[in-house]
Amino acid sequence: MWVGVERRGMHRIDPATGDALEPVAEHDAEDVDAALDEATAAFESWSDTRLEERRRLLTEAADVLRDRTEEFARLMTREMGKPIEGARAEVEKSAWGLDHYAEHAPEYLADEHIGTEAGTKSFVSYEPLGPVLAVMPWNYPFWQVFRFAAPNLVAGNVGLLKHASNVPECALAIESVFEEAGFPEGVFRTLVVGSERAEEVIRDDRVRAVTLTGSEPAGRAVGGAAGEELKPSVLELGGSDPFVVLDDADLAAAASVGASARTLNSGQSCIAAKRFVVHTDVYDEFLERFVAEMESLVVGDPTDEGTDVGPQAREDLMAEVHEQVTASVEAGATVETGGEPLDRDGFFYPPTVLTDVPRDAPLGCEEVFGPAAAVFEVESEAAAVELANDSDLGLGASVWTEDLERGERVARRIESGGVFVNELTKSDPRLPFGGIKDSGYGRELARQGIRAFLNEKTVWVQDTDDQP
């Protein structure tokens, strides 16, 4: 149990109205120390718990999520402005992630037998490390956490969550899911602390590994601290994903999916399509269709069922998007639609499309965390690949063509952690997820994700009867 009494509160603003939400008490140093002790003690028994029991509890947690879907969806909408339909889908996806690892853990964690010499049994055993700290962002406040928690808990690690400061109620609600499902005390614990406290937790000897989803500066800080302590880390640091439309693409589908890919979660997604790279032969038609699709989206109250695009999660985030748009226009870009914050309460920015964007302008070379798209015209497939790769970031990409062999060929040439042909970039518990270059390192999800924080132990068993 937490022991702190006098604590400062985390102050939050409803992004749809600009009104203050009630503060949530922050845990103090004594609380954090108690949580780390509890996690260490819990690991001793949890790591020895039968896999079947860990799988059963994961399934119970998935049931809790589904039973409380509406409650959790409305909590996300209130804290960070996610449109309610997307919030419900996020809870369901989190439950799917739990179910996936409950089902596939025996396969993912099975010993890997390797033939070596006669009379020997040699294999790799996958064994948990201990308490793992997750430093998580606000944009997908449930899914980001459960895609960390599901593989790690079923593998025998225990979880510590340091969530973003504007979603503390989501963080505490996630802890309550595991409590209600029957997980032993200390197996998953939320630390309601500010970012300034994260480094000391990373460096604490009781923490054995760390994962972060966040900005590049945060990744460098977290990765540096973990590296100095010789602790493994996984970093997912965002992207400036290209959406490549080739001359033989289905333009109606590309424009429709492209608008969704750019404005998913109100544009606040690291794997959102951000740079639209379009072959000159179809550029004019695609641009016309794409602008029409963006303008058809409903911007409004995130609690309304018909809303497509809600507010930006914080006022400073909306201001940053507008600064990037303004700077790009000053550098020579043309506004096709949008381009100004909406004149209403809350932090609303409209779906925005810019053309003639210089490559070194903000919309050409930075991650834009809001519903603003840059559209580029290229003369060839080779030029499309070159522009797609002209970024320090490499998280995801999307390629559109009716020739599937061509799509696969282009996909292999794009420098990113994942490429989707005729589909928007997405995370899926069945597939590994992560980036390259300044988008980070390591993988989450699938078999690769569950093994990120396991000891790959080599075991050699020699039959002495076969020794000379």
Side-chain angles (χ1 to χ4, degrees):
M1 298 293 292
W2 296 113
V3 296
V5 178
E6 296 295 331
R7 312 187 188 110
R8 61 182 179 141
M10 286 194 165
H11 297 282
R12 303 164 298 144
I13 301 293
D14 184 333
T17 64
D19 296 334
L21 299 173
E22 65 278 10
V24 172
E26 189 171 342
H27 295 133
D28 62 18
E30 190 176 356
D31 292 330
V32 172
D33 187 63
L36 293 175
D37 274 345
E38 190 176 62
T40 302
F43 174 68
E44 295 301 318
S45 57
W46 181 247
S47 58
D48 285 336
T49 300
R50 293 177 62 251
L51 178 58
E52 288 304 309
E53 175 64 5
R54 299 199 298 258
R55 293 171 64 202
R56 184 190 69 79
L57 289 172
L58 236 61
T59 300
E60 292 290 337
D63 290 342
V64 172
L65 281 173
R66 293 189 176 101
D67 289 343
R68 299 172 66 184
T69 294
E70 193 65 21
E71 171 193 348
F72 294 146
R74 294 195 174 277
L75 177 56
M76 279 187 270
T77 297
R78 185 163 64 101
E79 282 203 304
M80 54 74 58
K82 189 184 297 289
I84 190 65
E85 182 179 352
R88 294 188 189 109
E90 182 170 337
V91 178
E92 290 291 336
K93 187 172 184 178
S94 299
W96 177 31
L98 291 167
D99 285 339
H100 175 83
Y101 278 103
E103 178 181 354
H104 293 280
E107 169 194 347
Y108 292 162
L109 298 173
D111 293 344
E112 181 182 351
H113 291 265
I114 302 172
T116 50
E117 298 178 5
T120 67
K121 177 182 180 182
S122 45
F123 61 94
V124 177
S125 174
Y126 295 93
E127 301 176 4
L129 295 178
V132 180
L133 173 67
V135 182
M136 293 287 105
W138 48 263
N139 59 330
Y140 288 93
F142 270 64
W143 169 240
Q144 296 280 173
V145 176
F146 281 99
R147 79 183 194 190
F148 147 75
N152 278 284
L153 298 188
V154 80
N157 289 320
V158 300
L160 295 161
L161 170 63
K162 186 273 173 236
H163 219 323
S165 59
N166 59 330
V167 290
E169 282 192 88
C170 286
L172 292 170
I174 291 168
E175 183 181 274
S176 78
V177 169
F178 292 111
E179 290 176 350
E180 185 175 335
F183 279 73
E185 190 170 355
V187 169
F188 184 92
R189 180 66 74 197
T190 284
L191 309 178
V192 184
V193 296
S195 298
E196 70 279 1
R197 300 283 300 280
E199 182 173 346
E200 65 186 73
V201 178
I202 293 169
R203 294 185 182 277
D204 192 288
D205 289 342
R206 290 166 290 186
V207 172
R208 300 298 301 277
V210 60
T211 182
L212 170 131
T213 298
S215 68
E216 181 188 335
R220 292 184 185 278
V222 167
E228 288 182 2
E229 301 299 328
L230 300 179
K231 296 177 181 179
S233 59
V234 169
L235 304 179
E236 193 267 275
L237 307 180
S240 184
D241 288 9
F243 189 98
V244 178
V245 182
L246 297 175
D247 53 314
D248 61 347
D250 180 334
L251 297 183
S256 176
V257 175
S260 296
R262 175 58 282 204
T263 60
L264 190 67
N265 200 36
S266 306
Q268 301 168 122
S269 172
C270 37
I271 53 173
K274 299 184 176 81
R275 295 177 297 133
F276 290 76
V277 182
V278 186
H279 194 285
T280 187
D281 289 353
V282 296
Y283 177 82
D284 289 340
E285 183 180 350
F286 173 81
L287 180 61
E288 181 180 359
R289 289 176 177 271
F290 181 56
V291 170
E293 291 283 355
M294 292 284 274
E295 290 179 340
S296 73
L297 297 171
V298 177
V299 181
D301 185 342
T303 64
D304 288 347
E305 300 291 340
T307 292
D308 299 308
V309 179
Q312 303 301 282
R314 300 195 311 262
E315 186 174 15
D316 63 305
L317 298 171
M318 181 187 71
E320 182 177 349
V321 172
H322 188 50
E323 288 171 5
Q324 291 174 304
V325 169
T326 300
S328 297
V329 172
E330 291 174 350
T334 300
V335 177
E336 302 292 340
T337 189
E340 292 287 343
L342 297 183
D343 184 15
R344 57 178 293 174
D345 291 337
F347 314 134
F348 290 87
Y349 204 83
T352 295
V353 178
L354 269 60
T355 56
D356 309 314
V357 180
R359 289 203 194 184
D360 60 353
L363 262 70
C365 64
E366 298 176 2
E367 178 172 33
V368 181
F369 222 62
V375 184
F376 299 87
E377 182 176 1
V378 294
E379 295 184 352
S380 66
E381 176 186 306
V385 171
E386 187 275 328
L387 198 159
N389 290 338
D390 186 22
S391 174
D392 293 332
L393 299 167
L395 187 57
S398 182
V399 177
W400 288 77
T401 172
E402 298 253 86
D403 183 340
L404 300 186
E405 291 185 0
R406 183 188 194 190
E408 183 175 336
R409 182 179 70 246
V410 172
R412 291 180 181 276
R413 296 171 61 196
I414 292 179
E415 299 167 354
S416 66
V419 182
F420 289 71
V421 178
N422 298 331
E423 176 62 287
L424 55 79
T425 304
K426 56 188 176 182
S427 60
D428 183 315
R430 299 166 295 187
L431 300 171
F433 178 84
I436 61 171
K437 300 194 280 189
D438 288 353
S439 288
Y441 55 76
R443 292 294 179 266
E444 299 175 284
L445 301 176
R447 183 192 307 269
Q448 291 84 348
I450 201 172
R451 294 182 176 179
F453 298 129
L454 297 179
N455 176 19
E456 298 183 359
K457 179 187 288 183
T458 296
V459 179
W460 179 292
V461 182
Q462 180 72 52
D463 186 343
T464 57
D465 290 340
D466 288 309
Q467 290 182 325

